[in-house]
Amino acid sequence: MAAVVLIFAIRRHYAAQQVRDEYGIPEGELVYADLGEPGDALFSENYRISGKPDYVLRDEMTGAHIPVEVKSGRAKKPYWNHILQLGAYCLLVEERYGTRVPYGILVYGDGQQHRIEFTDVIRSQVLSTVDEMRRCLQSGAVRRNHNAPVRCANCAYRAECRFSLEGD
């Protein structure tokens, strides 16, 4: 039985290392993963939001938990919507692990990494964006903001979206 547990631990270590190498994810204890094997969604009772970061690392030096989001596209600088998404993950990680998140990491398809400090300004912007989204949903004023069928095809809400371009 001990040998089976050891083999499982070794396989998990090498699988995690392979993903780190592929996406350029920094060292640290991998405490959550949603790439490869789907992870459970993180949920915030305080903010009533949920999400699934690709990874959460625990910095072995500071004990801080760091969300990592991997994007398939390329970017010279991070897109604002990606920063807000990462900021929402920072809120979720703070609540899940009970520690302040100092920063998160965006990793783009070309391996480019961006360390995004989780500042009070970003925290505030995430919360005001969530409030705005709720107001739009309640008022029925939700509209598609693009004309790209591929974005609709990859959207998690395409099945219930009356504005979807998928299949057009």
Side-chain angles (χ1 to χ4, degrees), residues 53-162:
D54 291 323
Y55 299 98
V56 177
L57 303 174
R58 190 181 68 75
D59 184 307
E60 293 167 352
M61 297 292 286
T62 66
H65 290 81
I66 311 300
V68 178
E69 180 64 12
V70 178
K71 297 295 184 185
S72 58
R74 298 169 186 248
K76 291 183 181 178
K77 65 179 196 171
Y79 294 109
W80 181 241
N81 60 316
H82 294 169
I83 292 171
L84 289 178
Q85 179 184 10
L86 187 63
Y89 292 154
C90 289
L91 291 172
L92 292 167
V93 167
E94 282 184 344
E95 191 167 320
R96 165 65 69 91
Y97 297 103
T99 60
R100 176 123 169 100
V101 172
Y103 64 92
I105 299 172
L106 287 170
V107 181
Y108 285 93
D110 57 2
Q112 186 95 21
Q113 285 188 36
H114 300 275
R115 177 179 163 145
I116 308 298
E117 302 298 321
F118 188 47
T119 63
D120 289 339
V121 170
I122 291 178
R123 177 186 301 272
S124 175
Q125 187 65 53
V126 167
L127 295 174
S128 68
T129 301
V130 167
D131 287 343
E132 181 182 346
M133 291 168 69
R134 287 187 177 127
R135 281 191 302 277
C136 287
L137 286 170
Q138 288 172 348
S139 73
V142 178
R143 299 283 182 264
R144 176 175 27 85
N145 66 351
H146 63 85
N147 289 313
V150 70
R151 288 185 69 187
C152 288
N154 293 318
C155 179
Y157 300 102
R158 70 183 171 275
E160 54 271 354
C161 178
R162 64 181 185 204

Side-chain angles (χ1 to χ4, degrees), residues 6-76:
L6 178 62
I7 290 169
F8 177 75
I10 291 170
R11 282 187 179 167
R12 183 174 171 165
H13 169 79
Y14 282 113
Q17 189 60 50
Q18 191 174 22
V19 169
R20 283 181 209 274
D21 293 344
E22 182 178 347
Y23 292 108
I25 296 169
E27 286 301 317
E29 179 188 357
L30 187 63
V31 296
Y32 174 92
D34 187 51
L35 281 182
E37 296 178 23
D40 293 332
L42 304 181
F43 179 74
S44 168
E45 290 287 340
N46 290 332
Y47 304 112
R48 310 298 296 167
I49 61 173
S50 64
K52 296 170 73 173
D54 291 323
Y55 299 98
V56 177
L57 303 174
R58 190 181 68 75
D59 184 307
E60 293 167 352
M61 297 292 286
T62 66
H65 290 81
I66 311 300
V68 178
E69 180 64 12
V70 178
K71 297 295 184 185
S72 58
R74 298 169 186 248
K76 291 183 181 178

